[in-house]
Amino acid sequence: MSSDTATAQTLRSPAESCGVRPPWLGLSVLLLAGFVTIFDLFVVNVAIPAMQASLGASLSQIGFIVAGYELGFGVLLITGGRLGDIHGRRRLFVVGIAGFTLASALCGLAPTIEILIAARVVQGLAAALLFPQVYASIRVSFSADDARRAFGLLGMTLGLAAIAGQVVGGFLVEANLFGLGWRMIFLINVPIGVIAILMAPFIPETYAPERPSLDWSGVALVSLGLTLLLVPLIEGPAQGWPLWTLASLAGAAVLIAAFYGQQESRRRAGGEPLVDMKLMRQSCFAHGGLLVVLIYSTSSSFFLCFALLAQTGFGLSPFEAGLSFVPCSIGFVIASMAAPRLVARLGTAAIAAGALLYAVSLGILIAQVWLAGAGLVVAHLIPALIVVGAAQGLIMTPLLNLVLGFVGEGQAGMASGVVATLQQVGAALGVAVVGILFGAALAAGIDAGGQAQLYASAFVGGMAYNLAAAIVAAVLIFGIARRRLPR
């Protein structure tokens, strides 16, 4: 038997191997790790006032606590995916979750704001090593209906993690368990990380069919380019878009263009690029990547805007504001459980219907807030929030399977890193655009009278982007459905 044949048999998904069942227990470990990485993207939002009081942090320092994780997470995802292809996806998963656990402990025990910021950056870098392995391991370990169910569970888990960051985070801060206050939002990751490390052997070890050396020049270009892109997107809205943010965006465009050229040159010379640009030129994957950017930009910005509306505008406590997301999570869970079956029966048309429902439900929610204004009762938004959550579940749950289904097993790690990066770019882009609209509405309504009315108007202004993005996503998915792409 040739080595290539042996490798191919090793890489064949368990679901396709005779007598071997798909690794569902391994999937539970992947989902657990995926949950905590996304949970930590959102949980800090509700703990900001407590951190300021405890550490005497300035507003800009608090911003770096949030941005440090997002930056470390975003810039290393493509590299993390490629490292998994080369050195083994389970091995990189263990390295990533171990680093994430240690960094979480350091965050929870940090005596100063400077140490906390540094630990958050390390936490994000570690998350970027493990997160692409979650996508890639599912892609190569499951097939057909099993893959739809597995990616459905992943989509549901990641969506719930975002919501749980608000709900559980608010509870942990207010409960002040063991007198640790906000520190528990980080320390809770430690036992979860230990469990994931101990159960990691249940994840099948997989590699790319060919395992070349890593393209370090490409790593440097894409990492620096993404840093120059994400920093202004994350910090620009809060700082009023000073000149350095615009210069940074221009520099990002130059470096990303240089990365594209360098990757093409490496491919034509017979080398193995960090990202195969032929993949990016495939219309199916390109459209899918754009959908990922659009959908995840609306998700992150929605949570931010609604938290500001509920807490700052209408005076809800962190825990009360977190509870207001529960209706959204109920709709999300129910729809996520139904989504794989709907896609199996109706194909891409089921995702298209979910996108249309998402646009309509956001429009209803915006109209409800606009009409009520200062007289809004947050509880009256529950029906609309349920539908918004259900629509997100119908889109986000099967979207990952749809996009990664366009690539072969040999490109799974690379494509997973690209998709995960697009999620972060989308999230940062959505927060940046909505931040501009939200801030402009606050400034324009400064004399309108009343905090509640002011934030209701700002919510409507900010959510205008989400509505537009949801409509564009619906049009794109309907276009894909008409072309009858693979389910």
Side-chain angles (χ1 to χ4, degrees):
M1 181 184 298
S2 69
S3 61
D4 289 345
T5 303
T7 301
Q9 289 187 352
T10 302
L11 289 171
R12 189 172 54 190
S13 69
E16 298 169 335
S17 302
C18 181
V20 179
R21 301 182 62 185
W24 295 106
L25 188 55
L27 175 65
S28 67
V29 185
L30 295 171
L31 296 182
L32 182 65
F35 181 93
V36 295
T37 55
I38 299 302
F39 177 87
D40 269 54
L41 274 173
F42 291 90
V43 72
V44 172
N45 293 336
V46 296
I48 286 174
M51 288 180 180
Q52 285 182 293
S54 173
L55 298 176
S58 68
L59 187 59
S60 62
Q61 288 175 321
I62 288 294
F64 277 111
I65 293 174
V66 178
Y69 183 84
E70 294 176 338
L71 183 62
F73 193 26
V75 301
L76 206 61
L77 283 165
I78 291 177
T79 304
R82 210 66 179 123
L83 285 170
D85 287 345
I86 297 169
H87 299 292
R89 294 167 183 130
R90 182 176 66 194
R91 181 178 300 173
L92 260 292
F93 174 89
V94 172
V95 171
I97 193 66
F100 183 86
T101 303
L102 290 173
S104 296
L106 183 56
C107 286
L109 300 174
T112 67
I113 189 65
E114 291 80 11
I115 292 176
L116 177 57
I117 292 172
R120 282 287 282 176
V121 174
V122 174
Q123 192 185 34
L125 293 171
L129 292 180
L130 75 90
F131 198 67
Q133 319 317 325
V134 176
Y135 285 167
S137 295
I138 294 175
R139 169 66 185 86
V140 303
S141 299
F142 296 85
S143 61
D145 289 340
D146 288 333
R148 271 192 289 270
R149 285 193 289 270
F151 274 110
L153 289 170
L154 177 62
M156 180 176 70
T157 299
L158 299 185
L160 283 176
I163 297 169
Q166 318 290 328
V167 180
V168 178
F171 168 76
L172 290 175
V173 172
E174 288 201 15
N176 193 26
L177 298 175
F178 309 110
L180 292 170
W182 60 266
R183 297 179 183 275
M184 277 301 297
I185 68 174
F186 299 116
L187 295 176
I188 195 173
N189 294 335
V190 175
I192 294 174
V194 171
I195 292 171
I197 293 170
L198 293 176
M199 294 185 66
F202 291 104
I203 303 170
E205 181 64 285
T206 58
Y207 303 85
E210 298 179 3
R211 294 155 59 188
S213 59
L214 189 64
D215 174 17
W216 288 107
S217 297
V219 169
L221 281 172
V222 75
S223 298
L224 185 55
L226 287 171
T227 300
L228 293 179
L229 173 65
L230 290 172
V231 167
L233 288 179
I234 293 168
E235 291 295 311
Q239 297 191 20
W241 297 97
L243 182 60
W244 72 262
T245 60
L246 303 179
S248 181
L249 289 172
V254 171
L255 285 175
I256 291 173
F259 172 70
Y260 180 91
Q262 184 263 350
Q263 294 293 285
E264 281 291 87
S265 297
R266 184 177 176 89
R267 179 182 64 81
R268 286 193 295 265
E272 186 71 19
L274 187 66
V275 176
D276 188 345
M277 293 303 167
K278 291 191 298 184
L279 175 66
M280 305 304 293
R281 291 195 295 268
Q282 292 177 13
S283 62
C284 297
F285 188 82
H287 288 162
L290 179 57
L291 281 171
V292 169
V293 171
L294 288 171
I295 294 301
Y296 279 83
S297 71
T298 64
S299 176
S300 299
S301 55
F302 170 74
F303 289 131
L304 175 62
C305 274
F306 194 85
L308 289 171
L309 175 73
Q311 289 184 255
T312 310
F314 288 85
L316 272 64
S317 70
F319 184 51
E320 289 172 334
L323 286 179
S324 65
F325 286 104
V326 170
C328 197
S329 67
I330 292 173
F332 189 92
V333 170
I334 293 173
S336 295
M337 294 173 65
R341 295 179 183 177
L342 290 173
V343 173
R345 180 180 302 175
L346 303 174
T348 314
I351 309 177
L356 181 60
L357 179 63
Y358 189 37
V360 171
S361 61
L362 281 175
I364 292 172
L365 184 67
I366 292 169
Q368 193 172 353
V369 174
W370 177 62
L371 292 172
L376 176 71
V377 177
V378 176
H380 292 172
L381 299 177
I382 288 177
L385 288 171
I386 292 174
V387 181
V388 168
Q392 287 181 337
L394 290 174
I395 305 170
M396 296 173 70
T397 301
L399 182 59
L400 301 176
N401 185 42
L402 174 70
V403 178
L404 291 177
F406 297 139
V407 304
E409 289 187 10
Q411 296 177 310
M414 175 181 65
S416 298
V418 170
V419 169
T421 301
L422 291 175
Q423 286 178 306
Q424 293 309 303
V425 171
L429 177 64
V431 170
V433 174
V434 169
I436 294 172
L437 297 174
F438 199 96
L442 285 178
I446 201 165
D447 296 323
Q451 185 89 335
Q453 178 63 51
L454 186 61
Y455 274 78
S457 299
F459 178 84
V460 171
M463 285 295 98
Y465 165 79
N466 287 44
L467 180 59
I471 292 171
V472 173
V475 171
L476 283 174
I477 299 177
F478 271 107
I480 292 175
R482 282 198 302 270
R483 291 166 60 184
R484 297 182 179 180
L485 294 176
R487 297 182 184 180

